[in-house]
């Protein structure tokens, strides 16, 4: 079970740090009319999180089956109501779950989960799983974590912002369900999520997404985004309104800016950081060059980065070469080339750790749930299960789900007494 961290000689009030999943979910407003409500909203959401934590429960039907098979002790721990006529605790049905999940605000649910998980002390990744299972991915993650501990860490925290399509969910008008998320680099926790409407796109939702993150979490941090969000309005919003910083990828969607960056005298700039990685059947070499700029046609720009990547599959001699450019508002004394390279690599955690796990391990793209907010709420529940397992020391989320086949163990994992 995860426990809140406490500083030496200091105590942490329960009103600030939720002690368990039910306490955190109790902060989500209930959209239902209080008349006739039999199950607390926190109980229904906890049922969803606990069910998807266990392997094989990826749909609403599977969640309803999971809670129906729970014994009386588990239902009592979940806060299910007691029926005095039968002398038993009642389990919610599938229709109740569907009606509630369709109306819950996924942004508020994400914020409640982030507040709980960010306050908990993460367990270090060990060579074996938390249950002692010997597993290859666990050993690989342990070696990677050991190497990263030996390297200097960036002075600033960073958040990656990226969109995702829930491919199986299609609205009544035929449009697909898209979400925009902000994920913290160093621990892969989702800090904010926003559903994108059918008649808009990611760009106008950027500022509203980050508006849901508290200033104390965002001020001074670096926001990394792909080329779609390399917009002057985004740069001004981050620096002027939120006192944060940006590291933006530049491609041909900003042709004037991209042309300026390519014409810089890169041949006269020395390589300031070089790294070489081997893993997943390939080798990659990255050379980083950084120059300070003044008068660039982009708000608050202070440094430009050029990353030259060479990749090859192990056992072959053919290299593929890619050159990417980025721009940041941080000056040379505020961000070193090594820090910039770390943030650029860290941006991919939102794809490789968060989106990939939900698609492959939780079969998110195969889900055809489509009623109102239900697809996005289910995505949030999957992410809460993923993040809790990851924070508990599970590098292989699929293995962690299989290890929590028993409901009592799942409740203990989520801090439900």
């Amino acid at each position: 079970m995860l426990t809140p961290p406490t500083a030496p000689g200091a105590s942490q009030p329960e009103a600030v740090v939720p002690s368990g999943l039910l306490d955190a979910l109790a902060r989500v407003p209930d959209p239902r009319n209080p008349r006739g409500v039999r199950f607390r909203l926190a109980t229904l959401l906890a049922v969803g999180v606990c069910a998807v934590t266990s392997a094989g429960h990826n749909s609403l039907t599977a969640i309803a089956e999971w809670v129906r098979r729970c014994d009386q002790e588990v239902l009592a721990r979940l806060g299910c109501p007691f029926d005095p006529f039968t002398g038993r605790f009642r389990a919610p049905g599938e229709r109740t779950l569907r009606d509630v999940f369709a109306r819950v605000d996924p942004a508020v649910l994400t914020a409640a989960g982030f507040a709980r998980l960010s306050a908990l002390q993460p367990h270090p990744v060990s060579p074996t799983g938390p249950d002692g299972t010997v597993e290859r991915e666990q050993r690989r993650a342990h070696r990677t974590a050991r190497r990263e501990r030996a390297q200097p860490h960036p002075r600033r925290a960073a958040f990656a912002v990226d969109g995702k399509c829930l491919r199986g969910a299609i609205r009544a008008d035929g449009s697909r369900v898209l979400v925009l998320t902000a994920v913290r680099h160093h621990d892969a926790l989702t800090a904010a999520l926003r559903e994108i409407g059918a008649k808009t796109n990611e760009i106008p939702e950027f500022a509203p997404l980050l508006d849901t993150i508290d200033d104390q979490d965002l001020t001074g941090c670096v926001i990394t985004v792909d080329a779609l969000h390399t917009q002057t309005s985004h740069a001004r919003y981050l620096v002027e309104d939120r006192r944060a910083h940006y590291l933006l990828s530049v491609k041909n969607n900003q042709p004037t800016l991209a042309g300026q960056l390519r014409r810089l005298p890169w041949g006269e700039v020395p390589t300031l950081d070089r790294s070489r990685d081997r893993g997943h059947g390939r080798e990659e070499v990255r050379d980083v060059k950084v120059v300070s700029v003044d008068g660039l046609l982009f708000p608050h720009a202070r440094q430009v980065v050029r990353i030259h990547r060479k990749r090859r599959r192990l056992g072959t001699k053919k290299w593929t070469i890619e050159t990417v450019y980025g721009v940041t508002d941080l000056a040379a004394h505020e961000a070193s080339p090594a820090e910039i390279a770390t943030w650029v690599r860290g941006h991919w955690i939102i794809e490789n750790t968060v989106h990939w796990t939900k698609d492959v391990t939780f079969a998110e793209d195969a889900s055809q749930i489509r009623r109102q907010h239900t697809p996005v709420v289910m995505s949030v529940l999957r992410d809460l299960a993923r993040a809790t397992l990851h924070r508990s020391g599970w590098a292989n989320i699929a293995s962690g789900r299989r290890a929590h086949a028993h409901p009592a163990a799942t409740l203990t994992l989520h801090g439900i007494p």
Side-chain angles (χ1 to χ4, degrees):
M1 186 173 109
L2 300 174
T3 55
T6 55
S11 60
Q12 226 151 0
E14 292 185 3
V16 176
V17 180
S19 59
L21 181 64
L22 283 172
D23 298 320
L25 296 178
R27 302 184 175 193
V28 179
D30 194 336
R32 299 172 294 175
N33 189 320
R35 295 180 61 184
V37 170
R38 297 180 180 178
F39 294 90
R40 292 188 304 153
L41 177 63
T43 294
L44 298 175
L45 294 174
V47 166
V49 176
C50 292
V52 299
T53 302
S54 180
H57 299 88
N58 299 325
S59 65
L60 274 169
T61 301
I63 293 174
E65 292 173 353
W66 180 89
V67 71
R68 188 170 63 246
R69 297 189 181 107
C70 290
D71 57 34
Q72 288 292 292
E73 179 184 353
V74 170
L75 294 179
R77 291 172 65 182
L78 285 168
C80 293
F82 182 77
D83 189 342
F85 295 102
T86 62
R88 297 176 62 83
F89 290 94
R90 299 184 57 181
E94 182 179 347
R95 181 174 179 180
T96 299
L97 295 170
R98 288 185 181 274
D99 289 344
V100 170
F101 289 1
R103 299 162 64 185
V104 171
D105 186 344
V108 178
L109 179 58
T110 301
F114 177 71
R116 165 174 157 71
L117 290 170
S118 61
L120 299 178
Q121 182 67 40
H123 289 202
V125 178
S126 62
T128 61
D131 63 347
T133 303
V134 178
E135 203 274 327
R136 181 180 60 181
E137 188 172 334
Q138 195 80 25
R139 294 197 303 270
R140 184 187 296 125
H142 173 69
R143 290 195 300 268
T144 301
R146 189 168 54 187
R147 285 197 306 270
E148 290 177 349
R149 283 196 297 268
Q151 298 173 354
H153 294 282
R155 289 168 285 179
R156 302 175 185 272
F159 290 87
V161 176
D162 194 23
K164 184 181 188 301
C165 176
L166 308 182
R167 299 183 185 279
I170 302 177
R171 298 187 180 97
D173 60 0
S175 63
R176 293 191 180 274
V177 178
L178 301 172
V179 294
L180 189 64
T181 55
V183 174
R184 197 160 59 186
H185 281 203
H186 69 271
D187 55 10
L189 289 185
T190 301
L193 176 143
R194 188 171 179 85
E195 183 176 358
I196 300 174
K199 296 183 178 181
T200 184
N201 56 60
E202 293 182 24
I203 295 175
E205 301 296 337
F206 179 83
L209 171 77
L210 296 181
D211 283 339
T212 62
I213 303 179
D214 293 338
D215 286 340
Q216 62 181 2
D217 293 321
L218 197 63
T219 300
C221 293
V222 178
I223 308 300
T224 63
V225 296
D226 57 22
L228 176 65
H229 291 283
T230 304
Q231 308 288 331
T232 57
S233 59
H234 292 357
R236 292 192 179 96
Y237 164 78
L238 289 172
V239 177
E240 299 170 9
D241 297 343
R242 300 305 304 273
R243 289 184 292 177
H245 305 281
Y246 63 77
L247 177 57
L248 310 177
S249 175
V250 178
K251 293 184 180 179
N252 288 330
N253 63 322
Q254 294 281 353
T256 303
L257 178 61
Q260 268 194 308
L261 302 192
R262 293 192 192 99
R263 287 192 297 270
L264 291 172
W266 294 109
E268 304 173 11
V269 179
T271 298
L272 300 176
D273 184 77
R274 171 171 289 177
S275 61
R276 181 186 297 267
D277 289 330
R278 292 167 64 97
H280 301 284
R282 66 178 181 267
E283 180 181 15
E284 180 172 302
V285 180
R286 291 177 292 269
D287 293 333
V288 179
K289 293 184 176 183
V290 179
V291 294
S292 297
V293 293
D294 189 18
L296 197 68
L297 298 178
F298 200 79
H300 306 288
R302 300 295 300 278
Q303 289 192 95
V304 174
V305 57
R306 191 192 81 164
I307 301 179
H308 188 71
R309 299 192 185 114
K310 292 174 58 180
R311 296 191 187 98
R312 72 177 180 92
R313 296 194 62 83
L314 296 179
T316 67
K317 296 182 179 180
K318 182 179 179 180
W319 292 85
T320 59
I321 300 175
E322 179 187 23
T323 301
V324 296
Y325 297 90
V327 61
T328 179
D329 68 304
L330 290 166
H333 68 278
E334 296 175 307
S336 67
E339 288 177 311
I340 294 175
T342 299
W343 290 325
V344 171
R345 290 196 301 270
H347 177 76
W348 291 100
I349 196 170
I350 194 170
E351 291 284 355
N352 300 338
T353 300
V354 180
H355 294 171
W356 187 90
T357 301
K358 290 198 291 185
D359 287 339
V360 176
T361 306
F362 292 90
E364 182 164 276
D365 278 350
S367 174
Q368 296 185 358
I369 301 170
R370 62 192 69 188
R371 180 183 172 190
Q372 294 178 299
H373 294 308
T374 309
V376 185
V377 169
M378 285 292 295
S379 181
V380 176
L381 299 181
R382 297 182 191 107
D383 191 66
L384 290 176
R386 174 204 63 81
T388 303
L389 288 168
H390 186 267
R391 216 155 175 79
S392 299
W394 291 96
N396 187 330
I397 303 301
S399 178
R401 295 185 75 195
R402 292 190 293 269
H404 290 84
H406 196 282
T410 306
L411 268 61
T412 301
L413 171 75
H414 290 288
I416 300 177

